[in-house]
Amino acid sequence: FIYSVTAIYYPRMSTLWNKDDKQGYKKSVSEIILMISYFLIPATVGLILLRFNVIDLTSKWTNFSDESAYIAGNLLGCYGLGIVFIGLKEILDKAFYAQKSTKPSAVIGIVIMATNVIVSFLLKDKLGTYCMPIAYSVSSLVGSLCLFIYLIKKIGNFSKEIYINMLKCLISACIMGIVVNLFRNYLTNLYFINEIMDRLLKLLIPVFFGVVTYFLSTLVLKVGISRVVVDRCLSFFKRR
């Protein structure tokens, strides 16, 4: 998803930068940051909340023990913490590449590796196996933040609208998380048809209601991109 979006926006950013249209360039970067945030913030919350359901569906068969499933679920959750930052880093890398500037990404890449090693070393005794995914997520946060600050210094700060919309996405994701958690807990003591359907539905039902809740919440809070999603969905069904 991230690579598809950046593949669409990269030529536009490059063209605008070559035309010295910095306002247009900044607007394109803002749009893609908001788009990625709109989808990845709820994905992060959903993955963390439903990590054990995902493991139950994909891995907990045959000889996969409860203890192994518990560890795998927590590892998945730790990696999930970095989803948004990995997406943002990819976008910001492309933003610099559009300027024909590769040095910032290279330097920040070294910072990310160093942060990963340092955090892993500091946490290995306390967290054991979990230190690596946490270090990966932390280093992704550091890297994306450094690139964002460097980009602001180069082209100026973004409008407050992007920060407000990202905050609205976070609020909507939290509301979604409450709904997902309620459905997950409610379904825990139910059993559907057979083991495969039981695990599948206990994952898909919370996901469905979570997606609906998030989408409606962003519409109510007037997140700009939510209207774009509505228009695209309507145009898709009209063509059908």
Side-chain angles (χ1 to χ4, degrees):
F1 167 71
I2 298 171
Y3 295 111
S4 299
V5 173
T6 52
I8 294 170
Y9 273 84
Y10 175 73
R12 184 191 303 179
M13 291 189 294
S14 183
T15 300
L16 290 169
W17 184 263
N18 290 333
K19 290 181 178 179
D20 200 30
D21 184 0
K22 291 189 177 181
Q23 288 303 316
Y25 170 86
K26 190 186 297 186
K27 183 179 178 181
S28 289
V29 175
S30 298
E31 287 176 0
I32 190 173
I33 287 175
L34 182 56
M35 182 180 295
I36 291 295
S37 300
Y38 182 82
F39 289 105
L40 294 191
I41 289 175
T44 298
V45 174
L47 181 61
I48 292 171
L49 289 175
L50 297 173
R51 62 191 186 278
F52 294 119
N53 299 72
V54 173
I55 295 300
D56 281 347
L57 180 63
T58 58
S59 304
K60 198 178 176 183
W61 305 97
T62 62
N63 297 323
F64 207 73
S65 66
D66 290 340
E67 183 181 359
S68 297
Y70 178 77
I71 294 173
N74 284 331
L75 287 171
L76 183 62
C78 291
Y79 276 115
L81 291 170
I83 289 176
V84 177
F85 308 118
I86 293 168
L88 290 176
K89 180 189 175 299
E90 182 64 27
I91 293 166
L92 295 169
D93 279 338
K94 289 295 189 294
F96 281 108
Y97 294 158
Q99 302 176 16
K100 304 297 186 292
S101 176
T102 58
K103 184 177 178 181
S105 296
V107 172
I108 300 303
I110 296 172
V111 172
I112 290 173
M113 287 190 290
T115 303
N116 203 330
V117 172
I118 293 170
V119 174
S120 295
F121 180 77
L122 292 175
L123 297 180
K124 67 175 183 177
D125 293 332
K126 293 183 179 180
L127 298 179
T129 308
Y130 301 125
C131 73
M132 292 185 66
I134 289 176
Y136 181 75
S137 295
V138 170
S139 61
S140 299
L141 165 62
V142 172
S144 60
L145 187 60
C146 289
L147 284 170
F148 189 69
I149 292 172
Y150 190 84
L151 184 63
I152 287 174
K153 287 183 176 180
K154 192 166 185 178
I155 65 173
N157 203 354
F158 295 95
S159 67
K160 65 179 183 180
E161 183 181 355
I162 185 174
Y163 302 108
I164 293 172
N165 278 316
M166 289 177 72
L167 179 60
K168 289 178 180 179
C169 288
L170 182 59
I171 293 171
S172 298
C174 291
I175 296 171
M176 179 204 78
I178 294 171
V179 172
V180 168
N181 199 46
L182 288 172
F183 275 95
R184 184 192 63 180
N185 293 337
Y186 175 75
L187 295 172
T188 299
N189 297 321
L190 299 181
Y191 186 78
F192 298 95
I193 308 173
N194 56 52
E195 192 172 10
I196 296 176
M197 289 301 298
D198 182 65
R199 294 181 182 184
L200 183 62
L201 290 175
K202 284 181 179 178
L203 175 62
L204 293 183
I205 291 174
V207 167
F208 173 76
F209 284 101
V211 168
V212 171
T213 301
Y214 177 77
F215 181 64
L216 291 177
S217 180
T218 56
L219 275 177
V220 171
L221 292 176
K222 297 182 179 179
V223 178
I225 193 173
S226 61
R227 179 52 58 184
V228 176
V229 174
V230 171
D231 293 340
R232 294 286 173 84
C233 290
L234 289 175
S235 63
F236 173 78
F237 287 114
K238 284 180 181 178
R239 287 199 300 268
R240 293 286 175 172

